Amino acid sequence: MKKTITGVKPTGEMPHIIRGIENLKNIDSNKTLTCLTGARPSGRLHLGHYVGALSNWIQLQETSNIKTNFLIADYQVLGDHLGETEKLRNSVIDMVIDWLAVGLDPNKSNFIVQSYVPEFAELFNYLTMFVPYSLATNNPTLKDEMKKIEKRGETESNSISLGFINYPVSQVADIMLLGGEIVPVGEDQIPHIELSRKVIKKVNTMYSTNFPIPKALVSEFPRLVGIDGNDKMSKSLGNTIYLTSTLKEITSQVNKMYTDPGKTSIESKGNISKHVAFLYLDIFYKDKTHLDELKKRYIEGGPNSVGDGEIKKLLINVLEEFISPIRERREYYLKHMDIVVNSIEKGSANARIEGQKLIETLKKSMGLLDYGKEYL
Ligand code: TRP
């Protein structure tokens, strides 16, 4: 596929994929857009979550003509971790506290727990009938994930369940129930958006309904690498920096960052192409003129050069400045759990009201209401 310099695919090629929030703002300025996205509850969040998703979510929340819904996908965890519901309870709350701490706001957005809204399950039940078996099982993301689960070694309580196979269809229900038009997701979720489009179009065609056909909004930012330079920042690899790290944790993680092993002294020439501390500064350090100067000195070597110690010290300060307010807000919410609990109850209650309307419309269109009343 041909790419332009900026990585933006030529327009028209993939009309259901919007790359970059800027392109979204160009599309619709008058109409209100409904945005729905979700996450599997994964506990405390890290900088990778912020760069890849949350920063975009906050921008969407603050855009006046966009209605934002954020889903906590607890069903999706049951699909392959049925034996870990105790851990799930903590993961849900930890994730919601971090959402609040970074500035997602339950007064502006709906925080929705999937299992608090039975209408998701009801809609899902109908939608499964619209999905040919071959379409459900041919999903490349699902296949990848199934391979990973098999590798991990199944146990009775953590195996690939029928519910797991069905999760992309359940995700279609998540999107359709709330009329999601824009779905911010990572690249790996695009097959689920494509499935959603097929299924919702089929409902519309068969029953003359007019449910919105969603588009994916994919972040333009490259993925934030782990502190070891690994492509993915993930808890299991131990290469993360949590959004609520203490200064001590930030310092210890930054000091472990991969730099240039070839720069053996401050004065030797350096290479920054895989230098993790510089990659992070690119994202988090606002003074780009100073950053460019530091890079130049690092690369050139010589008496005016700069070493990893100084670069890392700068990054520690920059990250502490970014993280400390988030960490303080986390502390605040830990002492005000009522706000946390209310946020998910309120958002889920709103979703139920919306959802019931949609189910009513769908059942009416399918002729599934009031059996026999035509004879009365
Ligand atoms: N599968 C998504 C993930 O793993 C979470 C999710 C559930 C989702 N329902 C959704 C994303 C609906 C977008 C829309 O992160």
Side-chain angles (χ1 to χ4, degrees):
M1 195 173 296
K2 224 173 113 191
K3 281 196 175 184
T4 61
I5 305 161
T6 56
V8 179
K9 302 244 166 60
T11 47
E13 198 179 346
M14 289 281 203
H16 61 289
I17 303 176
I18 302 166
R19 289 185 187 270
I21 206 164
E22 288 316 311
N23 289 322
L24 173 66
K25 286 179 185 161
N26 295 340
I27 292 176
D28 276 273
S29 54
N30 299 320
K31 200 178 139 261
T32 297
L33 279 176
T34 301
C35 157
L36 177 128
T37 188
R40 295 182 192 175
S42 56
R44 284 174 63 195
L45 302 178
H46 54 63
L47 290 176
H49 291 120
Y50 184 85
V51 172
L54 295 170
S55 60
N56 267 334
W57 296 11
I58 296 166
Q59 271 195 64
L60 290 164
Q61 170 184 273
E62 301 306 327
T63 305
S64 58
N65 62 323
I66 298 181
K67 199 170 124 195
T68 36
N69 298 287
F70 303 120
L71 181 81
I72 298 137
D74 56 348
Y75 285 159
Q76 286 197 9
V77 176
L78 297 180
D80 65 326
H81 289 94
L82 186 62
E84 295 169 25
T85 46
E86 196 57 46
K87 196 168 137 203
L88 172 64
R89 291 183 66 77
N90 292 327
S91 298
V92 166
I93 289 306
D94 275 333
M95 184 170 82
V96 173
I97 294 177
D98 280 358
W99 282 5
L100 291 164
V102 295
L104 292 181
D105 180 348
N107 294 315
K108 295 177 181 166
S109 302
N110 287 321
F111 293 7
I112 305 161
V113 178
Q114 211 173 21
S115 66
Y116 284 7
V117 181
E119 289 75 14
F120 283 129
E122 188 175 3
L123 179 58
F124 162 74
N125 190 41
Y126 289 116
L127 293 184
T128 58
M129 317 300 173
F130 288 83
V131 184
Y133 179 77
S134 59
L135 182 64
T137 48
N138 255 330
N139 183 314
T141 295
L142 185 73
K143 282 186 189 168
D144 271 4
E145 288 170 333
M146 281 169 64
K147 270 193 211 127
K148 277 189 209 145
I149 296 172
E150 275 160 16
K151 250 196 219 153
R152 172 181 93 188
E154 293 189 24
T155 60
E156 200 186 351
S157 57
N158 292 337
S159 58
I160 299 173
S161 60
L162 186 53
F164 184 80
I165 312 271
N166 259 329
Y167 98 75
V169 184
S170 148
Q171 195 158 323
V172 178
D174 298 340
I175 296 168
M176 181 172 161
L177 193 78
L178 297 170
E181 297 165 278
I182 301 297
V183 187
V185 281
E187 201 80 35
D188 64 318
Q189 299 285 302
I190 290 177
H192 305 341
I193 308 302
E194 288 169 349
L195 175 70
S196 306
R197 293 172 63 84
K198 281 195 189 128
V199 173
I200 301 171
K201 277 180 190 166
K202 187 167 173 180
V203 175
N204 282 347
T205 308
M206 287 185 71
Y207 293 106
S208 306
T209 49
N210 197 17
F211 298 117
I213 311 298
K215 291 184 177 177
L217 173 62
V218 180
S219 167
E220 281 274 78
F221 288 117
R223 216 203 260 270
L224 186 67
V225 297
I227 59 165
D228 53 359
N230 191 306
D231 248 12
K232 202 176 173 216
M233 190 181 254
S234 90
K235 205 179 289 180
S236 54
L237 296 171
N239 63 358
T240 59
I241 297 181
Y242 287 105
L243 276 169
T244 47
S245 301
T246 61
L247 177 56
K248 203 170 148 202
E249 287 163 344
I250 297 171
T251 307
S252 132
Q253 292 300 73
V254 171
N255 283 334
K256 279 191 242 159
M257 275 183 178
Y258 182 84
T259 60
D260 173 15
K263 186 159 172 111
T264 47
S265 72
I266 296 182
E267 303 203 351
S268 56
K269 285 188 194 301
N271 181 337
I272 60 165
S273 63
K274 292 194 175 129
H275 195 289
V276 176
F278 272 120
L279 292 173
Y280 277 54
L281 285 169
D282 274 334
I283 296 172
F284 293 101
Y285 189 37
K286 294 203 184 76
D287 189 345
K288 298 297 176 215
T289 319
H290 184 217
L291 182 57
D292 286 344
E293 181 212 310
L294 288 171
K295 284 182 184 171
K296 194 160 167 275
R297 285 167 53 204
Y298 188 90
I299 294 167
E300 282 174 358
N304 284 329
S305 193
V306 46
D308 286 325
E310 196 174 327
I311 300 301
K312 286 182 168 175
K313 214 165 123 196
L314 172 66
L315 180 60
I316 290 166
N317 287 335
V318 167
L319 288 182
E320 169 66 4
E321 199 176 314
F322 175 74
I323 285 176
S324 62
I326 303 176
R327 187 172 67 217
E328 278 158 29
R329 284 197 293 268
R330 182 178 173 88
E331 289 303 316
Y332 172 83
Y333 288 114
L334 281 171
K335 289 191 201 105
H336 295 82
M337 284 302 290
D338 55 319
I339 302 178
V340 181
V341 169
N342 284 340
S343 73
I344 51 181
E345 292 198 341
K346 185 176 137 208
S348 303
N350 289 343
R352 289 204 67 183
I353 296 170
E354 286 293 310
Q356 278 160 15
K357 282 189 229 158
L358 180 128
I359 299 267
E360 173 92 9
T361 307
L362 178 67
K363 287 174 92 171
K364 218 179 237 165
S365 309
M366 292 177 76
L368 301 176
L369 290 174
D370 302 329
Y371 290 122
K373 288 216 181 136
E374 60 268 49
Y375 300 109
L376 295 180

